[in-house]
Every structure is written in C-alpha cells, then in structure tokens.
Amino acid sequence: MGNYLNPDISTFARVVNSEIYVDKTGLIEYTNRSAKTLQSYICISRPRRFGKSMAANMLAAYYGSSEDTSALFASLEISQCAGYRDHLNQYDVLKINMQDFLSESQSIEDMLAHLTACLIRDLKNGFPQIDFSYAKSLVSVMREVFAQTGRSFVILIDEW
C-alpha cells in the first residue's frame, strides 16, 4: 500500500521461494500468543546478519491486511498451528526501517520529524475516507484510524 503502511510482501515472498530459506515461522506462533496481552511488546534481538530484517518482513507479510498471504504461508510451519488464521492478514502494519531515517538525518530531532511526517503521510493516504482535520500528531492520527475503523496496528521497527 504505502512505503510504511502495509508494505509490499514481495521481499519475504522472494526469501520463501529461495532454496536456502529456513522456516522461522515459529516466531509467528509466539507473537500470536502474545497479541492483545500485556506481553504484546516484543523485542527480537539477534547479532548482526542473523535475520532480524527477514523476521520483520515475515511478520509484515503475515499480519498485514493489504494482501491475502495464505498461499505464501500454506506450506510453512505456522500454517499447522492453532490460531493460524485468527491473525493472518488481520492488522494494519507499520513497518519502519530506522536505518533509512538515520542515514538521511543530521540529528535525532530531524530524524524524528522526518519519520513522523512519512508515517502521517502514509496513514492519511491509506485511509482517505477519514477526516484527519483534528489530528495533528502521529499518535492522534493513529487514534483516529483506530476510532473510525476499529482496526489494530502491528508496529514493526527494524532498528539495524
């Protein structure tokens, strides 16, 4: 849909279709159990080059509502788990790669302003039916989307 709101799943699809793909969809089962609990804030910490970005792309493809990805996950471990379909493509995903914003900024304040502007732009473009005239901050824009759609967000931050 947008650059950050419900991103394109093609990156994860290419990974799954590669001969060297190792199924790590068990992570989805864990995140599904944590959804809508006090443990819903999850940090996936791994050393450099150990699949953090791939995990973020996988979670975006699974949770994101812009495409039906059931065929992509049908042969993977997660498809055999209870509750697999309960969360599949049921959320609006905001996926942020912080390196993109850090590399274009001169200061933390500049980076946060740029990040906020990009996310607000994507949300407004993704929900043109919503009146955002009273929403000035990122939080208020997200609240307005939730208030008018009832849809929850999954926020994925790929830090490094």
Side-chain angles (χ1 to χ4, degrees):
M1 181 179 276
N3 292 327
Y4 310 102
L5 176 64
N6 296 319
D8 179 20
I9 61 131
S10 63
T11 301
F12 182 65
R14 279 196 343 259
V15 169
V16 168
N17 293 324
S18 298
E19 289 182 27
I20 62 169
Y21 174 69
V22 175
D23 188 349
K24 295 183 180 182
T25 58
L27 174 64
I28 296 171
E29 182 180 18
Y30 175 78
T31 58
N32 285 346
R33 283 195 317 265
S34 301
K36 299 181 182 180
T37 71
L38 293 176
Q39 293 80 32
S40 63
Y41 299 98
I42 300 169
C43 175
I44 300 169
S45 177
R46 293 185 180 149
R48 184 173 166 79
R49 311 300 312 157
F50 270 74
K52 294 180 296 292
S53 295
M54 191 283 302
N57 290 331
M58 175 185 68
L59 293 170
Y62 176 78
Y63 289 114
S65 63
S66 64
E67 294 183 53
D68 177 4
T69 58
S70 56
L72 183 61
F73 288 95
S75 64
L76 302 177
E77 178 185 335
I78 187 61
S79 67
Q80 305 306 309
C81 298
Y84 159 66
R85 291 212 174 264
D86 295 345
H87 298 280
L88 180 68
N89 306 131
Q90 295 300 307
Y91 303 92
D92 287 307
V93 170
L94 286 173
K95 183 175 169 288
I96 306 156
N97 182 338
M98 294 304 294
Q99 193 60 33
D100 293 345
F101 292 97
L102 290 169
S103 65
E104 296 177 1
S105 304
Q106 300 302 313
S107 67
I108 295 297
E109 293 79 16
D110 182 39
M111 187 267 310
L112 289 173
H114 182 53
L115 170 68
T116 299
C118 289
L119 294 177
I120 288 174
R121 180 204 63 220
D122 263 22
L123 288 164
K124 287 181 176 181
N125 289 339
F127 297 95
Q129 74 279 15
I130 295 178
D131 177 12
F132 291 106
S133 57
Y134 296 106
K136 303 299 180 207
S137 69
L138 176 57
V139 170
S140 62
V141 168
M142 291 176 70
R143 278 191 191 131
E144 198 61 38
V145 170
F146 179 75
Q148 293 194 37
T149 67
R151 295 180 58 81
S152 298
F153 286 96
V154 169
I155 302 171
L156 302 170
I157 302 171
D158 190 356
E159 183 183 351
W160 217 240

